[in-house]
Amino acid sequence: MQKTGRRIAWRLPSVSADGLKIFACATMLVQSIGITIIEKGIINLDQYTQAELSEAMAQDSHLMVMAGIGSVMQLIGGLAVPLFAYLLVEGFRNTSDYRKYLLSMVVFALASEIPYDLANSQKVVDWSSQNALVSMCVCLLMLYFLSLFKDKKGIAISLLKGVIVLCAVVWVTLLVSAYGLCLVLLTAIFYLFYSKNVLKTILGMITSLLYVTGPLSFYGIWFYNEQRKDILPKYVYYAFYPVHLLVLGIITINIL
């Protein structure tokens, strides 16, 4: 807000790509701490059934508090999902080398799998679920196929685009990859309705309710200023994912 004479001029917020990335990484870190250190480590949720956990919390106020903290931290993590989807679309639209972009994502997805397994199941290899970068790889492939029909219209083309999105949903479901369904749907919405801000926002907010707090992220998305000059090298953001999971996984194992 600036005062100009007797008038007050209001400045709208302005958020850069770097700001969105840092906020997404920070909220994801909070969620990861909640899942690994709080729920997997301190509480050791895997030892309880739902009924046993409810009974234990009724008898132990400290356990109830820690469970509440873990739940709140997961809710905070839900803010990251729409931001990752939006940044993925921005990256796809602005990349000068799609193959390099996809290859980088695949390499870091592979590098993240062991840290992800350590953090979530305290095992070196666990095929029960895959890391979030796997979902992003599927989304990048989906975006490539959608882009082939970007300038084409008609009922048949719309149906074909729907089939492409459905295939991506099937793949993330089969792979059981983190953020899968929500990330695919949000990525498709951000790309297919890119120039229709109101419709994109409404559909995106509804979809992001899968993570309850997700719609709050649209504040940053709405005021995105399209400035893509990163303060940090882009690979720092890629590396942050496996590194933070590895550190948290080691800490959790030591707690147990």
Side-chain angles (χ1 to χ4, degrees), residues 41-118:
I42 297 175
I43 299 176
N44 193 7
L45 279 181
D46 294 337
Q47 68 178 320
Y48 298 104
T49 63
Q50 187 60 47
E52 289 172 344
L53 179 62
S54 298
E55 183 179 350
M57 286 193 298
Q59 298 173 358
D60 187 344
S61 60
H62 179 261
L63 179 62
M64 181 180 293
V65 170
M66 296 309 297
I69 291 173
S71 297
V72 170
M73 294 177 81
Q74 288 212 49
L75 288 174
I76 292 172
L79 294 167
V81 184
L83 297 178
F84 284 133
Y86 186 77
L87 289 167
L88 192 68
V89 172
E90 286 294 306
F92 176 78
R93 287 176 56 87
N94 290 282
T95 186
S96 58
D97 190 338
Y98 168 75
R99 292 183 179 179
K100 183 179 179 181
Y101 188 20
L102 178 60
L103 180 60
S104 298
M105 193 69 71
V106 170
V107 168
F108 279 95
L110 293 173
S112 299
E113 193 55 33
I114 289 178
Y116 176 81
D117 291 340
L118 283 174

Side-chain angles (χ1 to χ4, degrees), residues 234-248:
K234 64 180 180 179
Y235 290 113
V236 170
Y237 296 105
Y238 288 126
F240 173 79
Y241 186 65
V243 169
H244 95 278
L245 288 175
L246 180 61
V247 172
L248 293 177

Side-chain angles (χ1 to χ4, degrees), residues 82 182 186 189-190 199-209 214-215 218:
C182 193
L186 284 171
I189 289 168
F190 288 141
L199 181 58
K200 175 179 68 179
T201 300
I202 292 173
L203 292 176
M205 290 180 73
I206 292 172
T207 302
S208 63
L209 282 171
F218 282 79

Side-chain angles (χ1 to χ4, degrees), residues 57-233:
M57 286 193 298
Q59 298 173 358
D60 187 344
S61 60
H62 179 261
L63 179 62
M64 181 180 293
V65 170
M66 296 309 297
I69 291 173
S71 297
V72 170
M73 294 177 81
Q74 288 212 49
L75 288 174
I76 292 172
L79 294 167
V81 184
L83 297 178
F84 284 133
Y86 186 77
L87 289 167
L88 192 68
V89 172
E90 286 294 306
F92 176 78
R93 287 176 56 87
N94 290 282
T95 186
S96 58
D97 190 338
Y98 168 75
R99 292 183 179 179
K100 183 179 179 181
Y101 188 20
L102 178 60
L103 180 60
S104 298
M105 193 69 71
V106 170
V107 168
F108 279 95
L110 293 173
S112 299
E113 193 55 33
I114 289 178
Y116 176 81
D117 291 340
L118 283 174
N120 285 273
S121 64
Q122 293 71 60
K123 298 178 182 177
V124 175
V125 178
D126 181 6
W127 298 108
S128 62
S129 65
Q130 320 309 322
N131 70 81
L133 293 186
V134 173
S135 295
M136 297 183 80
C137 289
V138 173
C139 287
L140 274 179
L141 289 170
M142 175 187 70
L143 288 174
Y144 172 77
F145 287 109
L146 288 174
S147 70
L148 297 178
F149 307 97
K150 180 175 64 173
D151 299 321
K152 298 181 181 180
K153 298 181 180 180
I155 296 176
I157 296 298
S158 296
L159 289 173
L160 184 55
K161 290 179 180 178
V163 170
I164 292 171
V165 175
L166 181 60
C167 287
V169 169
V170 170
W171 273 109
V172 294
T173 302
L174 290 174
L175 293 169
V176 198
S177 51
Y179 303 152
L181 175 61
C182 193
L183 193 64
V184 166
L185 295 179
L186 284 171
T187 301
I189 289 168
F190 288 141
Y191 183 77
L192 294 174
F193 303 103
Y194 187 81
S195 61
K196 300 177 180 179
N197 287 334
V198 175
L199 181 58
K200 175 179 68 179
T201 300
I202 292 173
L203 292 176
M205 290 180 73
I206 292 172
T207 302
S208 63
L209 282 171
L210 288 168
Y211 282 91
V212 184
T213 54
L216 297 175
S217 294
F218 282 79
Y219 177 85
I221 292 171
W222 187 264
F223 292 111
Y224 174 55
N225 58 20
E226 299 187 10
Q227 292 182 10
R228 296 186 52 80
K229 187 176 180 179
D230 292 333
I231 298 173
L232 299 173

